[in-house]
Amino acid sequence: MTLSTLLPGTTASAVTDAYTRLAEVFPGLRAEALTEGEPAPGGAGWVGAHELAAGGGGLDAFLAWDDAQVLRDYGQRARPDVVAGFGLHRYAWPACLLVTVPWFLDRRVPRIPVEDVAFQRALGHLTVRVREFACLPGDPAAELPGARVVADEGALRAEVLAAVAEHLGPVLAGFGPRMRRGKRALWGMATDEIVEGLWYIAHLLGEERRAMAELEALLPGTTKPYVGTAGFRELTGPDGRTLPTRDRASCCMFYTVRPEDTCVTCPRTCDEDRVRKLTPAP
């Protein structure tokens, strides 16, 4: 992105290009940076992240969708704590991309407090008001209002973790009482959402290996409140092909609905089943 497209007074945001690229490779999700003075959307289907964090009626309505979806698709109801886990995943996975995609593509890390994010999941539409972001020396976006220049890549990684924690911390507090999980388990879920969201999008971008390396540097296992490392490892397919996988720090509890159908990165899925799931059908 050139400096001319980022000068103060234009409608461009430091994250606009990254969000545009996200929508190009994953049309099911659209992230939009609101311009100064533009109101946040509301009405049917929209929920503010601050409403989820409050844990009241907004969260009740949000989780009613998950409860109905399980009943519709599987012919049975899930436990309330499992429904809450599904709802958290379906919010946190795209919300983390608001931070990780601009970092991965453009080395810019927006701060996204819960007051500044809204979600319409039926449309796959997120909006965010970016008031502050971190970037590296030499980035033309450093001239934009709200820019904070940090020293190096290590400092920028710290900004990623801080930005996600600032956003997800209140959201986890809102969901927590419904999920019957402790703080460590909740932050294990946050770790998984950071890793698996960017890993998937990077695969679509054709940059899976770079994303794996950067996520390993981002989450070495010593970054509180996050739990565990990026967890990547490799398996060997029947044709000798390398099959990247990872071990989740948490479990989504889908096995309580379909015991025979676990996720490929689930701690409950053995390597033999992982190889089978990851190997293309002949």
Side-chain angles (χ1 to χ4, degrees), residues 3 82 139 186 203 234 272:
L3 180 59
V82 175
D139 187 334
L186 291 171
H203 171 74
E234 294 182 343
E272 181 180 355

Side-chain angles (χ1 to χ4, degrees), residues 102-156:
W103 165 64
F104 183 69
L105 291 179
D106 294 325
R107 288 309 194 246
R108 295 168 189 163
V109 180
R111 287 294 180 122
I112 56 166
V114 292
E115 295 80 12
D116 289 339
V117 177
F119 184 40
Q120 218 290 8
R121 67 165 162 197
L123 301 176
H125 188 181
L126 284 157
T127 66
V128 58
R129 193 178 308 281
V130 178
R131 306 175 193 271
E132 180 184 347
F133 67 95
C135 62
L136 292 172
D139 187 334
E143 296 192 19
L144 285 174
R148 288 187 303 103
V149 178
V150 299
D152 53 27
E153 292 282 358
L156 202 63

Side-chain angles (χ1 to χ4, degrees), residues 19-280:
Y19 292 167
T20 298
R21 189 75 181 109
L22 170 63
E24 289 172 352
V25 298
F26 187 43
L29 181 65
R30 180 163 67 98
E32 177 186 2
L34 299 176
T35 59
E36 185 176 354
E38 183 179 2
W46 283 97
V47 63
H50 67 284
E51 297 177 85
L52 301 179
L59 182 55
D60 289 336
F62 189 80
L63 294 179
W65 189 97
D66 297 279
D67 185 49
Q69 177 266 321
V70 173
L71 182 60
R72 181 183 67 249
D73 291 353
Y74 304 108
Q76 65 183 83
R77 278 212 147 83
R79 296 187 332 228
D81 60 303
V82 175
V83 169
F86 291 171
L88 176 60
H89 163 67
R90 287 162 175 163
Y91 175 74
W93 191 93
C96 286
L97 294 174
L98 292 174
V99 175
T100 59
V101 168
W103 165 64
F104 183 69
L105 291 179
D106 294 325
R107 288 309 194 246
R108 295 168 189 163
V109 180
R111 287 294 180 122
I112 56 166
V114 292
E115 295 80 12
D116 289 339
V117 177
F119 184 40
Q120 218 290 8
R121 67 165 162 197
L123 301 176
H125 188 181
L126 284 157
T127 66
V128 58
R129 193 178 308 281
V130 178
R131 306 175 193 271
E132 180 184 347
F133 67 95
C135 62
L136 292 172
D139 187 334
E143 296 192 19
L144 285 174
R148 288 187 303 103
V149 178
V150 299
D152 53 27
E153 292 282 358
L156 202 63
R157 286 194 293 270
E159 291 288 335
V160 172
L161 298 177
V164 174
E166 178 186 28
H167 184 81
L168 282 190
V171 173
L172 295 179
F175 276 87
R178 316 213 181 196
M179 293 180 59
R180 301 196 304 181
R181 302 197 200 187
K183 183 177 179 180
R184 179 178 174 82
L186 291 171
W187 281 103
M189 291 187 71
T191 304
D192 289 330
E193 304 302 354
I194 291 172
V195 176
E196 298 205 343
L198 184 60
W199 184 27
Y200 179 74
I201 297 303
H203 171 74
L204 299 179
L205 289 163
E207 296 196 69
E208 180 179 15
R209 288 293 177 175
R210 179 167 79 88
M212 292 168 67
E214 297 213 15
L215 286 164
E216 286 174 334
L218 181 71
L219 292 159
T222 57
T223 48
K224 302 295 183 181
Y226 301 98
V227 174
T229 67
F232 291 114
R233 58 191 181 91
E234 294 182 343
L235 302 173
T236 302
D239 58 356
R241 183 185 309 179
T242 297
L243 303 173
T245 188
R246 70 175 296 262
D247 295 315
R248 290 177 56 90
S250 66
C251 178
C252 71
M253 310 294 280
F254 183 69
Y255 75 91
T256 64
V257 178
R258 280 289 186 273
E260 71 282 2
D261 189 12
T262 57
C263 305
V264 71
T265 57
C266 178
R268 303 172 66 89
T269 304
C270 68
D271 283 357
E272 181 180 355
D273 286 344
R274 292 185 188 217
V275 169
R276 178 177 54 81
K277 290 172 182 282
L278 291 169
T279 301

